[in-house]
Amino acid sequence: MATLEKIRSKAGVLVSVVIGVALLAFIVGDFLSSGNTFHRMNQDKVVVINGKRITTEEFQNRVQARTDEMQNMYKQYGMSLPEGSAAYINKEVFDQMVNEVLLEEETAKLGIVVSTAELTDLMTGDNIVPQVRQLFSNPQTGTFDRSVLLNFLNVVLDENSPESQNPELAGQIAQQRQMWIELEKNVKQQRQIEKFFNLMSKSVQANKLDIEAAYEEGRTTADFAYVMQPYSSIPDSMVEISASELKALYDKNKKNYKQDERRVIKYFAVDIVPSEADYKAVEQKINELKESFATTSDVAGLLSFNTDVPYVDAYVAERSMDDDMKAFVSGAQVGDVEGPVFADNAYRMYRLMGKTVAPDSVKVRHIMFPLQQNAELSARFDSLLTVLKNGGDFAALAQEFSMDQNSAQNGGDMDWMTETSASQLGQKFVNAVFNSNGSEVLTVDSPYGRHIVQVTERTAPVAKAKVAQLVLNVRPSSDTYNELYNGVSQYIAVNNNPESFEKNASEKGYTVYTVTLNQDDIRLGSINDARKAVNWAFNTKKGAISEIYNVENKFVVAALADVQKQGYADLAQVEPQLKMELMSGKKADLIISSLKEKNLSTLESYAQEMGSRIDTAKFVGFNVNFIVGLGYEPALNAKAPFADLNTVEGPVKGNNGVYVFTVYNKTEKQEPMDVEAEIQKYRQSVNQLISGQLINALKEKADIEDNRIKFY
């Protein structure tokens, strides 16, 4: 009882303690959760530019938009994005976003803006930029068509337009709307860059001394005969380079060896190619199919499951066929079969399905309606057909009513079509446009819609044939794939450090290459799409061996040989180039000393002593950076224009060897200096320098934290 009373008396305190502990736990938990959220937010940054953070979501949205844009561009030509495009798009978008931030900061500081009125003028007004003009130009004439631009904007920018409400068109219109928004951004940014560039270029003015010096320096050019003894003529063994000399030269030029963080990796690649057994298996398979291919009444059905080249039920001009098919068609009768033959890593057979003489191409225009129609659309379709058959303006009606906006802009013109290209719209469409007589208005359905079509032109009749091809490409089988993969896997299991990885490779037939990578690299030597390997190299430890990457039909594996931190390359990294520079200097001293001892006086005697021949160089001036036949030899540019005529000059220490020369002709500008022309040349050189270095200069002084390697 006493115990119970004690508990009761302390109940309030106990409840307070329990609530307090629970509340504390809640607060601590919330704090930890918030801290975790803050940590995630702090980590979620692809790049930070002068404190401005770009998140992975922002970056990925831009990448996706650019990817969609590129895909649509390639799709117009019936192509898909090339392998490895993702890495290049990532880099392009990254550079663009960094540039945008830097330019926004600088232009804001300077008060440089592009007003709404100015942007409108550049996009739709009197001073439309070339990018917009090109997009909305008539493909036949190349002339900009403002009405097409305005029609596009009315459809794309009005989210309540009838076209935007059409489910079949909404997605396409949304993409085009996004494209226009991005184009506006790019035009605005380009205009800001132009203004910024103009401001910078105007801030650098040529003074009188600059102009006069530039004119005088470029006034005289020289033609000279020369002999040269290359540094390679002196064996390296004759020159000693001490450690102290290397160190002194390194210290002198250390500022030139600043570098970003880098990785040195060793890698090899194994081509994933068919084995001999794979070739035999494909040859056997095509031989087994030969009888069926030759006799079946359903060639399309047979080929739908048994060929790597889709069957197109269309006549093709014989002159456009490849040599092998053309040779077969020229001597074959309908129903004949040839093959199998082997070429271009594939076995193939041909069967002649038909021959004819007909136009190779027809020019077609159309008005397209949705395939599924309601009463209103059907009535409009029939009404249009009646108007057109009675001589209505096809082009004007196509612009107003066709669902195919791409061709509608050109009056419904689909351009020239062969049977092969027209087959994308179905066999009914092919039959309608190639079997029509004259220019009557026809109707035909395709998988994309209902069409009112008219053939406006035809090419002259040519010999055509319809050929079925059974093509089997030879590819590595799963057994071959596994054998190659297992060979690489077993090798790296045993040779699991960079030293043995490289040392024992030749025994297995592997060739090891060494490359130095920066964080934004995409390629690995000759391998283009190697971003995964680069990402691995910057997120692992020295000495690690990578997984096996399947890249560009190769198995690629790498070993991380060295980690080079951001800062200055150490002496060991640059020792080879330091040695070369010191060696060239010492070899030059040996050659010059030897020549001076001989007291030679003619170019011929120098040529004999130097084991060389006399050659010539022309139009060499002080302001010319490159000498034809010699390359970059500034010592000769500096001396030749001011040397006396017909006098032996030298020996002169050059980049590639020691030179002795004689100037035999000089050309001097006789006309007085044109001040305005010289100022223009000076400004042009300054403008080139600024345009090439402006963004780089902004990046140099910016605080950029690049975290891409953590994500991509």
Side-chain angles (χ1 to χ4, degrees):
M1 236 359 229
T3 303
L4 186 59
E5 281 299 318
K6 281 186 179 181
I7 291 174
R8 284 176 178 167
S9 68
K10 301 293 185 183
V13 177
L14 285 171
V15 170
S16 297
V17 170
V18 170
I19 292 174
V21 170
L23 185 59
L24 179 62
F26 175 77
I27 292 170
V28 170
D30 188 53
F31 173 76
L32 291 175
S33 175
S34 299
N36 197 33
T37 302
F38 176 77
H39 177 72
R40 285 196 302 272
M41 288 176 61
N42 195 43
Q43 294 298 308
D44 182 24
K45 51 191 181 185
V46 173
V47 62
V48 182
I49 310 113
N50 293 334
K52 180 175 175 56
R53 185 174 62 145
I54 294 175
T55 66
T56 53
E57 182 180 3
E58 291 173 303
F59 180 72
Q60 199 53 51
N61 287 342
R62 286 283 292 272
V63 167
Q64 188 59 54
R66 179 58 175 156
T67 302
D68 291 343
E69 183 184 340
M70 293 293 290
Q71 283 174 335
N72 290 334
M73 190 185 305
Y74 274 86
K75 201 180 291 182
Q76 290 177 7
Y77 300 97
M79 302 164 64
S80 56
L81 277 177
E83 191 174 1
S85 294
Y88 287 96
I89 291 173
N90 280 342
K91 186 176 187 314
E92 177 191 331
V93 170
F94 177 84
D95 290 339
Q96 187 176 21
M97 293 184 82
V98 170
N99 292 350
E100 285 173 7
V101 173
L102 293 174
L103 284 166
E104 282 173 11
E105 286 184 354
E106 290 299 317
T107 52
K109 290 176 190 174
L110 296 166
I112 297 173
V113 296
V114 178
S115 68
T116 302
E118 185 178 4
L119 184 59
T120 300
D121 185 46
L122 294 171
M123 301 298 291
T124 60
D126 296 330
N127 297 292
I128 293 177
V129 294
Q131 301 98 300
V132 176
R133 285 184 172 276
Q134 186 177 359
L135 282 172
F136 298 97
S137 292
N138 186 305
Q140 275 74 44
T141 64
T143 305
F144 169 67
D145 191 334
R146 184 180 294 276
S147 64
V148 175
L149 168 61
L150 296 177
N151 182 55
F152 169 84
L153 295 177
N154 287 335
V155 172
V156 168
L157 298 186
D158 183 3
E159 296 186 7
N160 296 315
S161 68
E163 293 84 357
S164 294
Q165 304 307 310
N166 185 329
E168 295 181 11
L169 293 175
Q172 182 182 352
I173 289 173
Q175 282 186 346
Q176 291 177 334
R177 184 181 299 123
Q178 187 59 41
M179 181 202 76
W180 180 260
I181 291 169
E182 287 299 319
L183 182 58
E184 274 191 341
K185 257 189 207 175
N186 291 338
V187 169
K188 182 178 180 180
Q189 183 185 359
Q190 187 58 42
R191 185 63 174 151
Q192 281 180 307
I193 292 173
E194 287 173 9
K195 290 184 174 184
F196 189 22
F197 169 77
N198 287 335
L199 179 64
M200 293 297 103
S201 61
K202 297 288 189 215
S203 68
V204 182
Q205 297 295 327
N207 61 44
K208 183 180 178 183
L209 294 177
D210 288 330
I211 297 303
E212 290 177 352
Y215 175 77
E216 289 299 328
E217 288 167 357
R219 187 175 180 181
T220 304
T221 60
D223 304 334
F224 60 82
Y226 69 91
V227 291
M228 187 264 277
Q229 183 173 347
Y231 297 136
S232 58
S233 65
I234 305 295
D236 291 351
S237 58
M238 291 184 64
V239 178
E240 289 187 8
I241 307 293
S242 68
S244 61
E245 288 174 314
L246 285 169
K247 181 68 167 59
L249 184 58
Y250 172 80
D251 291 339
K252 178 183 176 183
N253 297 322
K254 187 174 180 179
K255 64 180 183 297
N256 298 328
Y257 306 135
K258 192 173 183 180
Q259 65 180 22
D260 294 326
E261 189 171 353
R262 304 196 300 179
R263 297 291 186 270
V264 179
I265 72 165
K266 299 181 182 295
Y267 78 95
F268 64 79
V270 176
D271 291 322
I272 306 172
V273 293
S275 65
E276 187 176 344
D278 296 331
Y279 285 95
K280 288 181 179 178
V282 175
E283 184 179 16
Q284 180 180 343
K285 181 179 178 181
I286 199 168
N287 280 317
E288 290 171 353
L289 290 168
K290 183 171 184 177
E291 185 177 350
S292 298
F293 179 64
T295 58
T296 184
S297 59
D298 184 14
V299 170
L302 174 71
L303 293 179
S304 64
F305 296 102
N306 293 293
T307 185
D308 290 316
V309 176
Y311 175 57
V312 180
D313 188 10
Y315 282 92
V316 177
E318 292 181 24
R319 67 190 180 193
S320 67
M321 296 175 178
D322 63 50
D323 291 342
D324 290 340
M325 186 183 290
K326 193 186 299 181
F328 162 65
V329 168
S330 65
Q333 300 297 316
V334 174
D336 285 357
V337 173
E338 180 175 278
V341 295
F342 180 79
D344 300 326
N345 218 41
Y347 290 93
R348 66 186 68 228
M349 289 190 294
Y350 301 119
R351 178 175 168 181
L352 183 59
M353 306 302 295
K355 281 188 173 185
T356 189
V357 175
D360 174 48
S361 305
V362 294
K363 195 172 187 182
V364 181
R365 58 182 178 178
H366 80 144
I367 300 172
M368 187 168 79
F369 274 63
L371 200 56
Q372 304 298 326
Q373 296 194 36
N374 54 33
E376 182 185 347
L377 283 173
S378 294
R380 186 183 299 172
F381 185 91
D382 293 339
S383 176
L384 274 176
L385 185 61
T386 301
V387 170
L388 289 168
K389 284 187 173 182
N390 288 308
D393 188 335
F394 199 110
L397 292 170
Q399 287 180 347
E400 185 175 355
F401 293 106
S402 182
M403 191 178 79
D404 178 7
Q405 289 296 307
N406 290 329
S407 67
Q409 296 172 9
N410 301 314
D413 189 3
M414 301 177 80
D415 212 344
W416 288 95
M417 308 177 82
T418 62
E419 286 195 41
T420 302
S421 60
S423 67
Q424 297 175 30
L425 293 162
Q427 195 59 42
K428 288 182 182 178
F429 192 93
V430 173
N431 293 337
V433 299
F434 277 89
N435 295 334
S436 68
N437 298 313
S439 58
E440 66 267 33
V441 177
L442 309 168
T443 64
V444 62
D445 289 354
S446 79
Y448 304 98
R450 293 191 69 196
H451 307 260
I452 300 173
V453 298
Q454 184 181 42
V455 176
T456 57
E457 292 184 64
R458 293 174 175 80
T459 58
V462 295
K464 300 172 72 175
K466 185 187 295 184
V467 181
Q469 291 187 77
L470 197 164
V471 180
L472 296 180
N473 294 322
V474 184
R475 301 184 180 91
S477 63
S478 57
D479 288 341
T480 300
Y481 184 97
N482 291 335
E483 184 179 345
L484 292 170
Y485 184 92
N486 290 337
V488 175
S489 181
Q490 290 168 11
Y491 180 81
I492 61 177
V494 175
N495 299 282
N496 55 9
N497 61 73
E499 291 74 25
S500 62
F501 179 89
E502 181 175 28
K503 180 181 177 183
N504 300 321
S506 59
E507 296 176 9
K508 292 290 185 181
Y510 304 147
T511 302
V512 174
Y513 302 94
T514 302
V515 294
T516 301
L517 302 172
N518 293 313
Q519 288 197 37
D520 61 350
D521 280 338
I522 295 168
R523 299 180 51 162
L524 194 62
S526 61
I527 302 170
N528 292 315
D529 186 17
R531 183 61 187 172
K532 285 185 178 179
V534 176
N535 185 281
W536 164 83
F538 279 88
N539 288 288
T540 193
K541 294 180 180 179
K542 181 178 176 179
I545 306 295
S546 75
E547 62 180 281
I548 302 171
Y549 300 105
N550 188 337
V551 182
E552 296 180 358
N553 213 32
K554 304 174 189 291
F555 289 130
V556 180
V557 65
L560 183 56
D562 194 21
V563 173
Q564 297 177 355
K565 295 296 184 182
Q566 184 178 14
Y568 293 95
D570 58 36
L571 195 152
Q573 288 174 236
V574 296
E575 185 174 317
Q577 68 193 73
L578 294 175
K579 271 188 175 178
M580 184 176 294
E581 184 177 344
L582 288 168
M583 202 165 278
S584 294
K586 291 197 171 189
K587 287 181 178 182
D589 293 339
L590 287 174
I591 294 170
I592 292 172
S593 175
S594 174
L595 291 173
K596 285 183 175 179
E597 288 178 359
K598 302 292 190 301
N599 291 319
L600 304 171
S601 58
T602 65
L603 210 55
E604 290 76 12
S605 59
Y606 272 109
Q608 185 176 356
E609 183 64 31
M610 298 165 78
S612 182
R613 61 184 177 83
I614 299 175
D615 211 332
T616 59
K618 292 187 175 184
F619 311 114
V620 177
F622 186 82
N623 292 337
V624 179
N625 291 327
F626 184 87
I627 301 176
V628 176
L630 293 177
Y632 182 63
E633 289 290 1
L636 297 180
N637 290 101
K639 290 179 176 292
F642 309 106
D644 293 332
L645 285 171
N646 302 316
T647 302
V648 175
E649 300 285 344
V652 176
K653 184 189 296 186
N655 286 333
N656 301 305
V658 171
Y659 296 87
V660 178
F661 67 93
T662 298
V663 175
Y664 61 84
N665 182 54
K666 286 187 181 182
T667 304
E668 291 191 8
K669 292 180 184 177
Q670 297 302 318
E671 65 274 14
M673 181 177 70
D674 183 336
V675 176
E676 285 303 316
E678 292 300 321
I679 289 174
Q680 192 61 34
K681 281 166 58 178
Y682 182 87
R683 284 177 178 166
Q684 187 176 0
S685 65
V686 168
N687 288 349
Q688 287 176 348
L689 183 64
I690 291 175
S691 64
Q693 298 297 324
L694 187 58
I695 288 294
N696 289 336
L698 293 179
K699 287 180 178 178
E700 283 279 331
K701 71 171 190 172
D703 180 13
I704 300 176
E705 180 189 337
D706 182 357
N707 297 310
R708 274 177 300 164
I709 203 69
K710 296 177 181 177
F711 304 100
Y712 308 102

